[in-house]
Amino acid sequence: MSSISRTSSTSSDDAVVVDLADHEMDSKQAESTDDDQFPVDADSESEDDDDEDFSDDNGQTIVTPHGREYKALKNAKKVLIVTPAFPPNISFGGGVAITYDALTRRLKKRGAEVTVLSPQCGNLDGLSANMYPGFKLIAPNFPNLQRIWHCVGAADIVIVPDSIVAQFVIFIGRLKHTPVINNVHTNVKALLQKATFKYNPIPTLVDFFLALNTWLATVAYTTSPSYTSVLKKRGYRVVGSFSPRIKTQVFNEYDEPEAIAEARDWLTKGQSDKPVLIYVGRWSEEKRIHLLSEAKPDGVICAVIGDGPLADKINALHDEKRGF
């Protein structure tokens, strides 16, 4: 896991300045997240910058009126990331945490000073979520907003995912004339609909404010071309998708046949001759992992890898005879 250095100051603008030297990652993991993957200028002609990481619905590089944000992010010397999810706790919001850890490394490699504000780093007050007892949301209280105010003013550009305080961050960015990139990661509306009664207006209301964030922010992105289409139909102003390549470089590595055979044997409990389906991700309600158990064909091994709030329920599905 990563360890984060904390400033010793106790002032209202106390923050975590992420230093790669403080990250306790093995060399292979560091190489996989620290490769030259993000971010780039969409208008750049440099050979080093031909791996643009923002794409439109068809996977094409985006050239929009917001192209200045590419340049702003690429050339920024001081970047602020305000996120509820960040290592070392990746059991909740793991994909988001890994994304911003990888992004921090990429920006740091480009010479930027990256400040991360997060309850996971201990520099923002957290708020417990009923659906995720072990996960801390960012509390919209005065000390947090005061700290965010000071940090936004000191930054060249701000990155904020969907969260309770995202709208505050965006408004502060407007007042401070600091560009804010809003990233939409989670289908919060669907998540709330599963957790409340059928005609509860809260999911729709929350979705309205999250959509409003994308209009108020300088520019907004989401996680995939397909989700871009879904959000646009719901009134979000998202211009494209945020590529996962900053955290998936490890999959470009070559694995020796012996290592692959060993992994298959371990995953299948010695039945490596059978087809193998793999799920890797957070074990939470919205992932609907139980459907994998119900839909798994006979003669196929399904390995579910991860952790999260539904760990006990998912572990209860373990059945070697069925190959799950």
Side-chain angles (χ1 to χ4, degrees):
M1 293 298 178
S2 305
S3 63
I4 308 299
S5 60
R6 291 167 173 76
T7 58
S8 57
S9 170
T10 57
S11 64
S12 60
D13 58 349
D14 184 21
V16 169
V17 178
V18 178
D19 189 338
L20 290 182
D22 293 328
H23 280 251
E24 300 170 353
M25 301 177 70
D26 59 56
S27 59
K28 188 171 183 180
Q29 186 178 2
E31 288 173 3
S32 69
T33 58
D34 200 30
D35 219 344
D36 190 15
Q37 293 293 321
F38 187 93
V40 299
D41 184 353
D43 298 321
S44 174
E45 296 180 359
S46 168
E47 291 183 2
D48 293 336
D49 290 337
D50 61 358
D51 55 343
E52 287 86 352
D53 282 287
F54 291 104
S55 59
D56 64 12
D57 297 356
N58 299 313
Q60 301 299 313
T61 301
I62 295 173
V63 180
T64 73
H66 305 288
R68 62 187 181 278
E69 271 59 64
Y70 294 108
K71 190 177 293 294
L73 185 54
K74 179 183 176 182
N75 297 329
K77 295 303 180 183
K78 293 184 178 180
V79 180
L80 173 64
I81 300 176
V82 184
T83 172
F86 200 77
N89 183 3
I90 62 173
S91 296
F92 303 90
V96 179
I98 293 170
T99 293
Y100 289 109
D101 184 50
L103 177 58
T104 295
R105 291 173 165 278
R106 183 65 225 114
L107 292 171
K108 180 70 176 179
K109 186 178 180 181
R110 289 190 176 233
E113 178 184 297
V114 182
T115 299
V116 178
L117 293 180
S118 175
Q120 306 304 328
C121 299
N123 54 18
L124 288 181
D125 295 334
L127 184 68
S128 296
N130 291 334
M131 290 179 290
Y132 295 98
F135 181 62
K136 296 292 184 181
L137 302 173
I138 301 175
N141 59 22
F142 181 76
N144 280 354
L145 297 180
Q146 186 179 37
R147 181 164 297 170
I148 291 170
W149 173 273
H150 287 289
C151 289
V152 170
D156 296 323
I157 195 164
V158 180
I159 303 169
V160 59
D162 33 14
S163 68
I164 294 176
V165 300
Q167 204 161 85
F168 293 101
V169 175
I170 293 167
F171 271 118
I172 292 172
R174 281 179 167 264
L175 292 173
K176 297 278 189 176
H177 302 289
T178 304
V180 177
I181 295 177
N182 179 217
N183 291 324
V184 182
H185 292 269
T186 306
N187 191 340
V188 177
K189 182 179 181 180
L191 192 62
L192 291 175
Q193 285 174 333
K194 288 182 177 296
T196 59
F197 56 89
K198 185 175 181 180
Y199 297 106
N200 190 337
I202 292 178
T204 300
L205 184 62
V206 171
D207 193 55
F208 167 79
F209 282 107
L210 292 176
L212 182 61
N213 288 345
T214 65
W215 286 92
L216 295 175
T218 312
V219 67
Y221 298 92
T222 189
T223 54
S224 68
S226 60
Y227 196 40
T228 299
S229 299
V230 170
L231 291 179
K232 284 182 176 180
K233 291 177 182 178
R234 282 168 31 194
Y236 284 67
R237 191 200 67 167
V238 287
V239 301
S241 56
F242 183 95
S243 172
R245 283 186 289 166
I246 59 170
K247 59 183 179 181
T248 58
Q249 183 64 19
V250 64
F251 294 106
N252 292 337
E253 297 178 4
Y254 175 78
D255 293 310
E256 296 292 340
E258 294 79 8
I260 295 174
E262 183 180 353
R264 285 184 65 90
D265 189 66
W266 177 73
L267 287 170
T268 62
K269 301 294 184 181
Q271 304 177 72
S272 57
D273 57 316
K274 294 184 177 180
V276 182
L277 302 176
I278 297 179
Y279 166 91
V280 182
R282 186 169 70 254
W283 292 0
S284 54
E285 190 68 42
E286 70 272 17
K287 301 299 184 180
R288 301 184 295 177
I289 299 173
H290 65 283
L291 296 179
L292 290 176
S293 176
E294 297 171 9
K296 186 193 74 66
D298 293 335
V300 173
I301 303 294
C302 183
V304 179
I305 303 167
D307 196 2
L310 289 188
D312 291 340
K313 290 184 178 180
I314 302 304
N315 282 323
L317 296 175
H318 180 79
D319 187 341
E320 289 188 25
K321 292 183 178 179
R322 290 189 57 245
F324 189 85

